[in-house]
Amino acid sequence: MSAIQAASPRYALTLFGLFWVYWLALAIAPLYRDDWMLENVLVVMAIPLTLLAWRRYRFSTLAITAYWLFMLLHVLGSHYTYAEVPYNDWSELLFGRSLNEMLGWQRNHFDRLVHGLFGLLFMPAFCEWLQQATGLPRRWQYTVAISLVMAISGLYEIMEWVAALLFGGDLGQAYLGTQGDIWDAQKDMALAGLGSLLGATILFFHEPFISKK
């Protein structure tokens, strides 16, 4: 079994501090304050889980950096709402053409990106946690981690549906973010699953972090 090389506390604290600077900056004048508050329920839930996991387990630099990147993307989505992140405007400034125009897209795909990256970016932390908490062989670490991604993704889609029913109106639609696609939830879950499969493939060749059994 290969031991996990834990990230240094200094590095972890640096990421933690940078996250809150970033969060505070994007907490100023979000596009829709009510939707921002709903989206940040995830951030509030993540704080105690993050602190508890850090106290009990050794996570690598790869795992905590990937987790940090996902949270940055979520905070960006909560600032604009996922359906209105202006990546096309940024693309036009950089390249003179919108990304949707270049790729032939008809909708805002930022939410699709984040769902796929959820599966990809959470795989290192899930596999490292499984290795330390259960000692599962390598192939089962991947299998259980992918199952966790799919279960969490499905649960999140149910939570979105319930929130949309409870709040209704523009707030419910902004939080749900289907953009008129009746298969939005299924596509989001599929992308999370594909992201986790890609993450497992990458980790398979990243031997220092995962047991080879």
Side-chain angles (χ1 to χ4, degrees):
M1 178 182 294
S2 299
I4 293 170
Q5 183 64 45
S8 70
R10 182 176 181 179
Y11 181 75
L13 286 172
T14 298
L15 292 188
F16 191 70
L18 288 173
F19 171 79
W20 287 112
V21 171
Y22 176 81
W23 183 88
L24 286 170
L26 293 186
I28 300 171
L31 195 59
Y32 303 110
R33 176 64 68 180
D34 289 343
D35 181 71
W36 176 87
M37 293 176 67
L38 275 178
E39 297 286 2
N40 274 275
V41 169
L42 177 61
V43 177
V44 172
M45 292 171 61
I47 294 169
L49 292 175
T50 301
L51 295 175
L52 179 62
W54 181 256
R55 286 173 63 105
R56 296 190 60 179
Y57 302 103
R58 293 164 54 88
F59 290 99
S60 68
T61 299
L62 172 65
I64 66 170
T65 303
Y67 173 70
W68 180 73
L69 288 171
F70 174 81
M71 294 304 293
L72 294 186
L73 289 169
H74 175 71
V75 170
L76 180 64
S78 69
H79 177 80
Y80 290 103
T81 77
Y82 275 84
E84 298 187 42
V85 173
Y87 63 78
N88 280 312
D89 295 340
W90 303 334
S91 175
E92 286 181 356
L93 286 173
L94 290 172
F95 308 112
R97 295 179 65 191
S98 75
L99 188 61
N100 275 21
E101 181 184 351
M102 287 188 283
L103 298 177
W105 292 345
Q106 300 299 316
R107 77 190 295 277
N108 189 304
H109 280 286
F110 184 78
D111 63 328
R112 300 270 197 259
L113 171 68
V114 175
H115 279 281
L117 288 178
F118 165 69
L120 175 66
L121 296 176
F122 268 70
M123 282 298 288
F126 282 162
C127 288
E128 291 177 14
W129 167 66
L130 287 165
Q131 178 181 330
Q132 296 175 67
T134 69
L136 285 171
R138 190 179 191 187
R139 62 184 179 276
W140 284 108
Q141 291 170 25
Y142 297 150
T143 302
V144 175
I146 291 169
S147 299
L148 276 173
V149 167
M150 295 303 298
I152 294 170
S153 181
L155 179 61
Y156 185 76
E157 295 299 331
I158 293 171
M159 288 171 58
E160 280 191 335
W161 166 58
V162 171
L165 289 177
L166 288 175
F167 296 103
D170 293 339
L171 176 57
Q173 287 303 310
Y175 186 67
L176 199 58
T178 61
Q179 301 181 62
D181 186 350
I182 62 171
W183 304 111
D184 181 71
Q186 288 84 353
K187 291 176 182 178
D188 289 347
M189 289 186 287
L191 284 168
L194 287 173
S196 66
L197 287 170
L198 176 59
T201 302
I202 294 170
L203 287 174
F204 180 80
F205 297 102
H206 207 287
E207 189 267 343
F209 295 99
I210 306 296
S211 165
K212 289 190 69 175
K213 289 185 179 180

